[in-house]
């Protein structure tokens, strides 16, 4: 190990080209050039004791930087392993190569004395050239005072640069040196421990750290790194131990950092490599297995297509991440594996859903919207006005959180078509979601994917179908949702319609939030009453009453007939349905609040016409051919029995001629006979009420059903029995109770009403009463038949017929008070449809008459009743039966 050495005044110099030997470092060199062989031979090989030589760095000019000014001036040499001739410049030595191009070299001013640890001599064959391999150990720095390049090799007059022991001891006291030493030691230790972890070679160096003086160790450490020549030279030039330590600390630290960075990078690369390699390997195996099993690679193509579709779906970033995770899972699965298909269907839904795709909303033109509503729908002035208001608000504030419109009315009054008109006025797509009969919450919210056969809810499904995120969505028949053990769909709908919550609607199947806030919801219902109040609260109810006969006629003439003709490929040139016939269809074939059946009947007429037209078309074309055949030329040919060559006429001409002929012959004007032939015998007539109430015990009521208002007959009869009340006609509890109340009231007033002889106060003595509500197949309930029931009973007991032109509605209390009921408008419209002329209403329902169209009111006599007596007063010809005071006891007895 490098202990302090005595340096001679002059040393043989071995130049090191662009390389530095630092004290404490070892180097193995091969000497082949003439000068170096000579030097080794004379200075090392032939000496008995171990000789010293000086190692001096020399540099090519290209390696120089302007910083280097440590060149010995005025020295010239002709040595160095590869140098042949060296010329002296003021500061540079010029090396001339064989082609006479001078090459400048620089001698460094400081070098390191070295001793040979090992020498071996070799003789090259066949040239006989001698070479040496020398292992040198750097010992200590020296300064070149004078360089002599004459002679077989260079020599130099030198002076030592290392400190004496005393000087060193003094420096070691220096606190700056102490701090620097500590710093160096710490950094060196750190490096050693890093190296230890990596290569398990730190043990030996650790020992050095403990035993060697640190300023020497600095050289040894630095010598073991790969460094630039500049750094090596500056280390060589650091004669002051403090400078050397701080430089070494810096270099060791840098080396440490670079090891760490390199380690990090390798770790990362290794990690990635091993993961991707593993995946690659597994994929290869999978492919091999698939090939073995005969599975083709279609699935992979499909998955790639699916991935592309997902990429272009415009999902929000968090959902995209979720989808990618699912896709990665899918990729690892085999198509036969359970869950593969469901995962794939799920991803396809994610890719298909319109996350961002929206129909571009046109600038809303209110005038155009109004025109459109008017051209699509007849009448409905108030409803259209409200829709225009709604659209106007949207125009001024597109993100306005207006209420959800809910059209309430009987079937066929145009609720759906109004909603679709809103969509076209806004330039949005339209999607209808039927909620009728939905009892399961999962129908709205979807089933969780853990269930077999799970699927998204109807809303998400609808959005997938429509393909845009801002459609007008019609929630049809929102009143028909029910709740049972499978949850409450209405509560899920609450979330949908709540503008605060529907930004992140959570479908169980989708399992990621979907923004419904851009959807415009419109709902329809037949009745507002069954809609749960919280849901109703979020909607603005717009009622669409049924149409009057006059309105229906207008709708049919202006809208339905043109549409029906168009749908059947006809025009008014082929089929004409006169107004009078439409009226007949309305009166005799349809008795509904809306126009759906009317449209159906008109369509039946159009179908019949279409058949006739199609038949005639055939007949006409055949007859034309016959005409052509009748030409003399063809006649002749046919006569000869020759084969005829058909001539093909240009189609345009032919068609034109045919349709001309056809037009004239096929115009069909519907008449009464044709109506009966196509639609069958009339289903309704105004005589119905008169026929039914011809016998006492029958009264005409007005009720409300999901199909709008209806006329409801009530039949009562008495028979021998034990005083029981029989009720039939699929009645609900409320209506059964009404019947009880009605009977009690009549029995309680038997004397007042003069329904029985004074001695016979018990009307039920020896008889049963049976009350029936036809049509027996239709379930009925509600309190509004109260007055009708009493009227029927009074009619029965008094044996006096009720007026056939009078219908009534109203709930009755036990004490005979007439209470108001709902649906007055629809009920009056129904009475009007049935040709009823007088309507008895509870007094407190008078206010509802404002909603009834004036044309209907003008054709009806509205009679109000406060008490049951008032009803009876109006219901019978000539007022209440008791006024006429004819006790029918005899009849009652004979009737039994
Ligand atoms: P709902 O949804 O109320 O059951 P629809 O909207 O399906 O009824 O209407 C049934 C048919 O009647 C549709 O063809 C519709 O265009 C037509 N219709 C209803 N009301 C009108 C009206 N006021 N003007 C023109 N057509 C109407």
């Amino acid at each position: 190990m490098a202990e302090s050495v005595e340096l001679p005044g002059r040393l043989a110099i071995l130049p090191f080209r662009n390389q530095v030997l630092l004290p404490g470092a070892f180097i193995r060199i091969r000497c082949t050039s003439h000068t170096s062989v000579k030097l080794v031979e004379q200075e090392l090989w032939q000496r008995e004791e171990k000789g010293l030589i000086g190692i001096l760095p020399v540099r090519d000019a290209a390696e120089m930087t302007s910083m280097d000014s440590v060149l010995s001036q005025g020295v010239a040499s002709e040595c160095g392993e590869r140098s042949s001739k060296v010329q002296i410049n003021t500061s540079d030595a010029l090396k001339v190569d064989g082609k006479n191009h001078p090459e400048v070299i620089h001698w460094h001013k400081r070098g390191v004395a070295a001793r040979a640890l090992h020498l071996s001599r070799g003789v090259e064959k066949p040239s006989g050239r001698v070479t040496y391999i020398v292992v040198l150990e750097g010992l200590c720095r020296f300064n070149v005072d004078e360089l002599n390049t004459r002679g077989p090799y260079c020599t130099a007059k030198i002076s030592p640069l290392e400190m004496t022991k005393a000087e060193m001891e003094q420096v070691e006291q220096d606190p700056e040196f102490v701090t620097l030493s500590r710093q160096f030691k710490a950094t060196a230790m750190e490096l050693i421990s890093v190296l230890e972890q990596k290569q398990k070679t730190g043990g030996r160096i650790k020992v050095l750290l403990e035993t060697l003086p640190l300023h020497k160790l600095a050289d040894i450490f630095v010598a073991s790194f790969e460094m630039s020549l500049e750094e090596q030279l500056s280390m060589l030039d650091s004669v002051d131990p403090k400078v050397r330590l701080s430089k070494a600390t810096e270099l060791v630290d840098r080396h440490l950092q670079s090891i760490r960075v390199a380690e990090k990078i390798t770790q990362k690369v290794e990690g990635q490599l091993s993961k991707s390699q593993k995946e690659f390997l597994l994929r290869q195996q999978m492919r091999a297995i698939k090939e073995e099993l005969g599975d083709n690679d279609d699935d992979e193509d499909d998955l790639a297509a699916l991935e592309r579709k997902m990429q272009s779906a415009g999902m929000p970033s968090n959902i995209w991440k979720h989808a990618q995770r699912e896709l990665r899972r899918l990729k690892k699965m085999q198509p036969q594996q359970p869950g593969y298909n469901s995962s794939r269907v799920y991803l396809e839904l994610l890719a298909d859903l319109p996350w961002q795709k929206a129909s571009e909303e046109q600038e809303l033109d209110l005038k155009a919207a109004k025109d459109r509503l008017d051209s699509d729908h007849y009448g409905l002035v108030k409803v259209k006005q409200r829709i225009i208001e709604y659209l106007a608000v949207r125009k001024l504030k597109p993100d306005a959180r207006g209420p959800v419109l809910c059209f309430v009315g009987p079937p066929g009054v145009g609720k759906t078509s109004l909603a679709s008109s809103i969509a076209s006025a806004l330039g949005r797509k339209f999607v209808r979601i039927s909620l009728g009969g939905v009892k399961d919450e999962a129908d709205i919210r979807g089933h969780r994917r853990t269930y077999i056969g799970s699927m998204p809810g109807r809303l998400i499904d609808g959005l997938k179908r429509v393909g845009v995120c801002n459609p007008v969505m019609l929630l049809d028949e929102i009143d028909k949702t029910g709740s049972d053990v499978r949850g409450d769909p209405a509560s899920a709908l609450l979330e949908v319609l709540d503008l605060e919550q529907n930004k992140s609607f959570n479908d169980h199947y989708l399992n990621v939030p979907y923004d419904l806030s851009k959807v415009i919801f419109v709902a329809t219902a037949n009745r507002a009453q069954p809609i749960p109040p919280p849901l109703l609260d979020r909607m603005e109810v717009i009622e669409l009453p049924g149409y009057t006969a006059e309105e229906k006629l207008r709708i049919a003439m202006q809208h339905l007939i043109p549409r029906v003709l168009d749908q059947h490929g006809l025009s008014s040139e082929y089929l004409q349905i006169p107004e009078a016939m439409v009226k007949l269809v309305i009166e005799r074939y349809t008795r509904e609040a809306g126009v759906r059946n009317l449209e159906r009947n008109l369509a039946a007429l159009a179908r019949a016409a279409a058949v006739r037209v199609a038949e005639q078309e055939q007949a006409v074309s055949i007859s034309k051919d016959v005409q052509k055949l009748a030409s003399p030329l063809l006649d002749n040919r046919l006569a000869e029995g020759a084969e005829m060559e058909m001539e093909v006429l240009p189609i345009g001409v032919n068609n034109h001629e045919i349709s001309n002929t056809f037009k004239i012959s096929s115009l069909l004007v519907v008449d009464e006979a044709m109506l009966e032939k196509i639609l069958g015998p009339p289903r309704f007539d105004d005589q119905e009420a008169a026929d039914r109430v011809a016998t006492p015990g029958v009264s005409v009521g007005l009720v409300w059903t999901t199909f709008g208002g209806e006329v409801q007959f009530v039949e009562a009869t008495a028979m021998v029995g034990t005083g029981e009340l029989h009720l039939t006609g699929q009645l609900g509890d409320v209506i059964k109770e009404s019947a009880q109340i009605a009977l009690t009231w009549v029995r309680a007033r038997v004397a007042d009403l003069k329904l029985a002889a004074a001695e016979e106060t018990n009307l039920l003595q020896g008889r049963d009463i049976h009350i029936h509500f036809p049509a027996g197949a239709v379930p009925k309930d509600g309190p509004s038949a109260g007055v009708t029931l009493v009227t029927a009973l009074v009619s029965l007991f008094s044996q006096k017929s009720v007026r056939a032109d009078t219908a009534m509605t109203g709930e009755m209390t036990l004490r005979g008070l007439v209470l108001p009921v709902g649906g007055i408008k629809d009920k009056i419209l129904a009475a009007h449809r049935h040709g009823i002329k007088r309507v008895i209403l509870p007094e407190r329902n008078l206010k509802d008459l404002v909603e009834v169209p004036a044309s209907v009111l003008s054709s009806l006599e509205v009679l109000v009743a406060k008490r049951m007596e008032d009803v009876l007063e109006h219901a019978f010809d000539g007022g209440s039966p008791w006024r006429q005071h004819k006790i029918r006891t005899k009849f009652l007895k004979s009737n039994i």
Side-chain angles (χ1 to χ4, degrees):
M1 196 44 44
E3 65 281 359
S4 53
V5 273
E6 286 265 319
L7 283 183
R10 184 170 276 279
L11 271 180
I13 298 293
L14 186 64
F16 261 25
R17 195 179 177 136
N18 298 331
Q19 217 181 339
V20 177
L21 176 71
L22 285 172
F26 300 84
I27 194 165
R28 183 175 176 271
I29 55 169
R30 189 160 177 258
C31 302
T32 52
S33 76
H34 177 70
T35 45
S36 56
V37 167
K38 257 275 146 345
L39 183 145
V40 173
E41 209 158 56
Q42 288 188 12
E43 298 290 328
L44 303 173
W45 185 258
Q46 290 167 7
R47 292 217 178 178
E48 300 249 313
E49 81 283 17
K50 281 182 183 169
L52 291 177
I53 56 169
I55 306 292
L56 201 63
V58 293
R59 292 195 293 163
D60 299 334
E63 295 283 326
M64 283 274 296
T65 67
S66 57
M67 305 245 319
D68 301 306
S69 55
V70 284
L71 292 164
S72 52
Q73 302 234 335
V75 287
S77 128
E78 206 196 58
C79 70
E81 281 195 340
R82 274 155 290 170
S83 59
S84 49
K85 281 181 196 163
V86 177
Q87 251 185 17
I88 310 301
N89 260 347
T90 44
S91 62
D92 300 336
L94 279 180
K95 189 177 122 186
V96 182
D97 61 18
K99 289 173 194 156
N100 263 0
H101 289 302
E103 197 186 310
V104 185
I105 61 162
H106 305 263
W107 293 86
H108 199 69
K109 213 180 152 191
R110 284 169 184 152
V112 170
R115 79 173 157 216
L117 294 179
H118 180 81
L119 271 176
S120 60
R121 191 170 192 264
V123 181
E124 277 181 14
K125 281 180 185 170
S127 63
R129 197 161 66 119
V130 177
T131 59
Y132 286 98
I133 290 175
V134 192
V135 177
L136 291 170
E137 181 195 6
L139 294 176
C140 58
R141 290 171 174 79
F142 62 80
N143 194 48
V144 177
D145 296 335
E146 204 183 302
L147 187 71
N148 181 12
T149 57
R150 267 158 283 158
Y153 49 84
C154 299
T155 55
K157 201 174 148 199
I158 58 151
S159 49
L161 285 174
E162 296 299 331
M163 283 183 175
T164 59
K165 210 172 174 188
E167 278 171 337
M168 202 56 226
E169 269 169 14
Q170 209 176 339
V171 171
E172 274 167 5
Q173 303 299 313
D174 186 346
E176 198 187 339
F177 180 82
V178 176
T179 327
L180 282 169
S181 311
R182 210 174 290 140
Q183 261 179 12
F184 173 73
K185 206 170 171 180
T187 323
M189 278 303 282
E190 216 174 313
L191 177 65
I192 290 168
S193 60
V194 169
L195 290 175
E196 238 173 10
Q197 282 174 8
K198 265 183 79 170
Q199 302 159 350
K200 320 261 181 250
T201 55
R204 204 170 62 95
I205 316 174
K206 236 180 198 168
V207 178
L208 287 180
L209 207 60
E210 300 305 323
T211 51
L212 271 183
L214 287 178
H215 61 280
K216 287 196 172 166
L217 203 62
D219 283 331
I220 298 173
F221 255 84
V222 173
S224 62
F225 308 153
E226 256 182 43
M227 285 185 299
S228 70
L229 182 64
E230 298 309 321
E231 281 165 343
Q232 292 180 44
L233 285 175
S234 81
M235 196 64 197
L236 176 64
D237 290 338
S238 308
V239 179
D240 183 348
K242 284 194 279 188
V243 176
R244 201 184 305 161
L245 271 182
S246 84
K247 195 156 281 171
T249 314
E250 186 191 320
L251 289 171
V252 171
D253 190 49
R254 217 180 60 197
H255 190 64
L256 189 66
Q257 298 309 331
S258 69
I259 289 179
R260 283 199 173 135
V261 171
E263 214 163 46
K264 236 186 225 168
I265 292 172
T266 347
Q267 268 176 8
K268 216 172 174 178
V269 172
E270 266 178 3
Q272 279 173 0
L273 254 186
S274 60
K275 198 176 163 208
S276 60
Q277 273 170 346
K278 202 167 136 193
E279 261 179 29
F280 175 76
L281 208 75
L282 288 172
R283 270 185 208 296
Q284 287 299 99
Q285 283 178 357
M286 199 159 86
R287 188 159 296 161
I289 294 170
K290 271 187 186 170
E291 271 174 21
E292 227 17 68
L293 290 172
D295 284 357
N296 53 22
D297 261 350
D298 280 359
D299 280 315
E300 248 173 55
D301 294 347
D302 283 0
L303 290 188
L306 176 62
E307 191 168 8
R308 270 198 304 281
K309 204 157 87 174
M310 280 164 59
Q311 274 161 356
S312 56
M315 297 177 204
S317 65
N318 54 336
I319 293 164
W320 171 239
K321 270 186 211 148
H322 168 81
Q324 269 184 321
R325 223 176 300 134
E326 185 74 29
L327 183 68
R328 274 199 298 274
R329 215 166 68 85
L330 181 68
K331 277 183 180 165
K332 284 180 201 149
M333 282 195 217
Q334 292 294 323
Q336 296 81 10
Q337 215 169 316
Y340 179 91
N341 247 344
S342 89
S343 178
R344 199 196 149 117
V345 169
Y346 173 71
L347 281 176
E348 249 154 33
L349 172 72
L350 282 186
D352 283 343
L353 268 184
W355 296 98
Q356 276 173 19
K357 200 172 156 222
S359 30
E360 209 174 300
E361 215 166 315
Q362 308 148 359
E363 173 68 16
L364 182 65
D365 181 352
L366 277 187
K367 170 90 178 53
K370 192 167 179 329
D371 289 349
R372 169 141 211 141
L373 280 174
D374 281 340
S375 74
D376 286 354
H377 299 94
Y378 172 85
L380 301 174
V381 183
K382 272 194 192 157
V383 179
K384 286 185 203 161
Q385 184 55 35
R386 179 62 191 92
I387 293 175
I388 291 293
E389 284 165 19
Y390 178 80
L391 295 179
V393 174
R394 280 205 80 85
K395 181 177 176 170
L396 296 181
K397 201 163 182 289
D399 55 348
R401 304 189 153 195
V404 173
L405 294 184
C406 177
F407 298 122
V408 176
V413 289
K415 302 183 293 293
T416 312
S417 68
L418 275 174
S420 94
S421 287
I422 294 181
S424 50
L426 287 169
R428 295 193 181 201
K429 285 197 174 180
F430 179 70
V431 60
R432 177 174 166 271
I433 295 193
S434 175
L435 298 177
V438 168
K439 285 213 171 74
D440 192 347
E441 192 180 344
D443 273 331
I444 310 286
R445 251 191 225 286
H447 298 265
R448 284 188 200 285
R449 279 179 57 212
T450 40
Y451 292 108
I452 293 173
S454 58
M455 52 186 182
R458 294 188 186 201
L459 289 151
I460 292 294
D461 185 56
L463 283 166
K464 182 187 144 190
R465 269 189 286 135
V466 77
V468 288
C469 63
N470 65 343
V472 171
M473 187 177 273
L474 179 72
L475 304 174
D476 212 3
E477 308 198 315
I478 204 164
D479 56 333
K480 304 269 173 27
T481 59
S483 62
D484 62 11
V485 280
R486 290 170 293 177
D488 183 7
S491 65
L493 282 174
L494 269 184
E495 189 189 325
V496 172
L497 297 185
D498 192 326
L499 301 159
E500 299 297 330
Q501 290 181 48
N502 69 9
K503 265 205 178 75
S504 54
F505 172 67
N506 197 1
D507 184 281
H508 290 329
Y509 179 82
L510 201 59
N511 208 18
V512 285
Y514 188 90
D515 183 2
L516 286 177
S517 63
K518 296 193 195 84
V519 179
I520 295 185
F521 289 103
V522 179
T524 76
N526 288 143
R527 299 162 67 189
Q529 187 232 333
I531 305 175
L535 198 55
L536 199 61
D537 196 43
R538 283 171 173 73
M539 300 191 286
E540 179 173 334
V541 171
I542 299 179
E543 287 195 17
L544 283 96
Y547 296 115
T548 62
E550 186 54 32
E551 281 172 332
K552 283 187 195 170
L553 183 65
R554 295 271 72 82
I555 293 172
M557 298 313 292
Q558 290 170 21
H559 298 275
L560 303 182
I561 294 179
R563 197 181 319 148
V564 162
L565 290 182
D566 188 50
Q567 280 166 359
H568 291 80
L570 300 167
S571 76
S572 55
E573 288 168 351
Y574 305 135
L575 176 70
Q576 277 181 8
I577 311 176
E579 240 184 77
M581 292 305 113
V582 179
K583 238 183 190 161
L584 279 187
V585 176
I586 295 169
E587 282 167 11
R588 297 188 184 170
Y589 294 91
T590 65
R591 245 183 206 172
E592 51 170 358
V595 290
R596 196 164 281 159
N597 273 332
L598 176 59
E599 193 174 9
R600 227 171 268 149
N601 283 317
L602 293 174
L605 294 176
R607 273 198 305 276
V611 173
R612 251 182 78 168
V613 169
E615 275 171 358
Q616 276 198 5
E617 195 170 355
Q618 248 179 358
V620 170
S621 56
I622 290 165
S623 72
K624 274 186 83 71
D625 279 346
V626 171
Q627 269 173 18
K628 273 207 282 149
L629 284 171
S631 73
L633 179 71
L634 288 175
D635 259 357
N636 286 345
R637 284 209 202 169
L638 284 175
E640 285 162 17
E643 262 190 31
M644 184 183 68
E645 237 177 69
M646 288 292 288
E647 199 181 331
V648 180
L649 289 176
I651 288 170
V653 178
N654 213 359
N655 264 5
H656 183 67
E657 282 174 23
I658 290 170
S659 62
N660 268 349
T661 334
F662 167 64
K663 248 185 231 166
I664 302 153
S665 66
S666 67
L667 172 63
L668 198 69
V669 181
V670 176
D671 57 17
E672 217 174 318
M674 199 177 145
L675 272 191
E676 282 211 20
K677 204 171 147 206
I678 299 168
L679 304 180
R683 294 178 55 201
F684 311 101
D685 60 45
D686 283 351
Q687 271 302 303
E688 189 189 3
D691 291 348
R692 290 227 190 168
V693 297
T695 48
V698 181
S699 61
V700 191
L702 291 172
V703 292
W704 201 92
T705 69
T706 47
F707 295 99
E710 270 301 328
V711 165
Q712 172 73 61
F713 294 95
V714 178
E715 297 175 349
T717 190
M719 62 216 149
V720 177
T722 52
E724 277 176 40
L725 175 65
H726 302 281
L727 294 166
T728 51
Q730 285 214 55
L731 307 182
D733 287 344
V734 179
I735 211 164
K736 279 181 187 161
E737 285 174 2
S738 292
Q740 287 285 358
I741 294 169
L743 185 60
T744 307
W745 188 83
V746 174
R747 286 176 70 190
R749 276 165 190 70
V750 62
D752 299 346
L753 296 173
K754 312 219 167 43
L755 292 177
E759 72 279 6
E760 198 183 337
T761 47
N762 187 2
L763 276 176
L764 295 184
Q765 187 84 55
R767 56 184 175 233
D768 284 355
I769 305 293
H770 187 151
I771 298 176
H772 176 64
F773 283 70
V778 184
K780 305 162 196 81
D781 203 6
S784 67
V787 294
T788 325
L789 279 161
V790 174
T791 312
L793 288 174
V794 172
S795 163
L796 172 73
F797 291 125
S798 64
Q799 277 302 299
K800 202 164 179 302
S801 295
V802 177
R803 282 180 68 148
D805 61 351
T806 308
M808 62 203 76
T809 185
E811 182 179 352
M812 192 200 66
T813 65
L814 197 57
R815 312 292 305 193
L817 221 60
V818 177
L819 299 183
V821 288
I824 291 297
K825 184 174 48 187
D826 296 279
K827 287 174 178 173
I828 290 186
L829 286 175
H832 180 66
R833 274 201 300 279
H834 280 73
I836 302 281
K837 297 282 178 276
R838 300 166 81 236
V839 177
I840 305 171
L841 299 180
E843 193 186 33
R844 277 160 61 194
N845 273 128
L846 264 186
K847 62 179 186 329
D848 299 318
L849 290 179
V850 285
E851 296 169 20
V852 183
S855 62
V856 175
L857 269 189
S858 63
S859 65
L860 281 173
E861 188 185 349
V862 176
L863 306 153
V864 292
K866 212 169 166 184
R867 297 192 53 82
M868 192 58 225
E869 287 82 355
D870 302 335
V871 176
L872 296 175
E873 188 74 36
H874 296 309
F876 293 90
D877 250 335
S880 256
W882 67 86
R883 294 225 201 140
Q884 294 150 38
H885 192 49
K886 280 185 192 159
I887 303 163
R888 309 260 168 191
T889 41
K890 261 188 244 154
F891 160 76
L892 283 169
K893 278 182 182 147
S894 63
N895 203 22
I896 293 168

